[in-house]
Amino acid sequence: MTDHLANGDRVETTANLAAIEVRQVTIDGQLLQVAVRHGGGSGLPLLLFNGIGANWELAKPFLEALTSTTAIIFDVPGVGGSPRPMLPYRPSTLARLAAGLVAELGYAEIDVAGVSWGGGIAQQFAHQYPKLCRRLVLAATAPGFTMVPASPSVLWKMATPRRYTDKDYMNSIAADIYGGAFRDDPSLIGRHAAAMRGARSLGYLYQLLAMSGWTSLPWLWSLPQPTLVLMGRDDPLVPPINGQILAGLIPNAEFRMIDDGHLFIVTRPAETAGIIEAFLADASRQVEPSSPLTRIANSVRGLVPTFRGRRDAQAPRDGEPHQS
């Protein structure tokens, strides 16, 4: 595999003889490092929003696992190969930049996916540009600051970009924050860390500020796109219940659990790519309109078993003392 990052260079993949083209594009005065994975299929391209502090290379296993889909991904300003902007931004700003990039690349309609932090931007994009976004995929993500949070210890470890700049620190915390396969295969941590290009501190802070106070809860019910919500069963960072909330409030949303952790898109790229491509290619999926009250009622109904399961899991077994 060759990997050159100069403007217009192509990264040859070994998975399916496709290519990843990496170049820099200026949108509204902002320089963006953009990677386009060229697929041979006839479907719409997939625009992918990455996680916090993540350069595009971290998504390469998933990009290479796609069998026919053309995929577009860019480094958020202040991360990877995209210089930071002069001022902080909001999710609506990134959605506007992404829409400009899609137009620059010559597409009138696309599918959109978002991972973790990028899932919030994907929701914003689908809400802000409903005619541009045909279908939506949300992976390991939540509805913003109104999410069911991770434990304080996990949140503390995510508070700085240190894991992107200190590989020893990354090795020490990866299993705790990502869960899943990272708990069982230490070699995954090294391979993941090797693909990191270093999130700059101010750029990381801008990403944190962008989501400060942002939530999609007031308008999730209005999203017109058929939506696939994927969550990792062992995700310490974004508890799976957040995916159930999203799927319960978005019209015509499908919820699926993957038996892995937060980064299943990296640790199970072939499985994840297969699920997503099957969803995108399913012509039978149509929007099923429903009222906001119906969506809320369905969401609450779906969450009851989850809360009951948590309560049962915490209940003392026979012979065990009750906690006071």
Side-chain angles (χ1 to χ4, degrees):
M1 179 184 299
T2 60
D3 188 350
H4 306 290
L5 301 183
N7 291 0
D9 283 348
R10 297 169 74 83
V11 181
E12 296 297 329
T13 71
T14 58
N16 48 32
L17 302 181
I20 299 177
E21 179 186 3
V22 183
R23 56 181 166 140
Q24 293 186 322
V25 180
T26 300
I27 305 295
D28 292 342
Q30 172 65 53
L31 189 65
L32 299 175
Q33 179 100 315
V34 180
V36 180
R37 183 272 186 192
H38 297 278
S42 59
L44 293 178
L46 177 67
L47 174 65
L48 177 63
F49 292 99
N50 219 343
I52 189 169
N55 49 289
W56 78 264
E57 291 94 335
L58 293 176
K60 191 186 290 185
F62 170 75
L63 299 178
E64 293 176 345
L66 294 168
T67 60
S68 60
T69 304
T70 291
I72 305 163
I73 185 171
F74 65 92
D75 288 341
V76 169
V79 174
S82 297
R84 66 173 175 83
M86 293 295 295
L87 298 172
Y89 51 81
R90 298 296 292 167
S92 58
T93 310
L94 289 184
R96 187 176 68 251
L97 283 176
L101 174 62
V102 170
E104 178 70 19
L105 296 177
Y107 298 109
E109 188 179 29
I110 53 167
D111 295 322
V112 174
V115 181
S116 191
W117 180 92
I121 309 302
Q123 293 169 61
Q124 179 68 40
F125 186 97
H127 174 62
Q128 197 166 323
Y129 299 100
K131 293 183 179 179
L132 185 57
C133 177
R134 183 191 68 136
R135 295 195 178 192
L136 179 63
V137 179
L138 302 175
T141 192
F145 84 96
T146 49
M147 69 179 288
V148 177
S151 70
S153 63
V154 171
L155 293 176
W156 178 252
K157 292 169 184 173
M158 289 290 296
T160 74
R162 183 182 172 189
R163 68 190 186 283
Y164 289 105
T165 57
D166 185 341
K167 289 180 171 55
D168 290 335
Y169 180 68
M170 174 59 134
N171 287 331
S172 69
I173 69 167
D176 294 333
I177 63 176
Y178 296 137
F182 281 86
R183 299 190 193 277
D184 304 319
D185 186 357
S187 68
L188 287 173
I189 303 174
R191 293 201 296 270
H192 186 66
M196 295 177 178
R197 296 294 178 264
R200 295 178 288 280
S201 296
L202 190 54
Y204 193 87
L205 176 61
Y206 279 5
Q207 286 189 280
L208 290 175
L209 290 174
M211 285 297 176
S212 176
W214 179 90
T215 180
S216 58
L217 281 183
W219 43 258
L220 282 175
W221 62 270
S222 69
L223 291 181
Q225 300 86 0
T227 301
L228 173 65
V229 180
L230 299 174
M231 300 298 290
R233 192 177 305 278
D234 175 25
D235 187 342
L237 188 56
V238 183
I241 190 174
N242 289 286
Q244 292 177 285
I245 292 171
L246 290 171
L249 292 176
I250 299 174
N252 198 21
E254 174 186 351
F255 177 82
R256 295 190 62 170
M257 195 88 78
I258 293 181
D259 192 19
D260 207 329
H262 185 68
L263 291 182
F264 56 80
I265 195 171
V266 173
T267 55
R268 291 177 179 256
E271 178 183 349
T272 306
I275 292 172
I276 291 175
E277 287 194 295
F279 167 76
L280 297 179
D282 184 1
S284 67
R285 294 302 297 266
Q286 301 295 329
V287 176
E288 300 171 1
S290 60
S291 70
L293 290 178
T294 299
R295 301 306 302 171
I296 293 172
N298 290 341
S299 178
V300 172
R301 191 179 302 117
L303 293 177
V304 168
T306 302
F307 284 116
R308 183 179 295 124
R310 284 189 168 188
R311 182 194 62 193
D312 293 343
Q314 295 171 355
R317 299 175 181 174
D318 292 342
E320 292 183 350
H322 289 265
Q323 298 295 321
S324 58

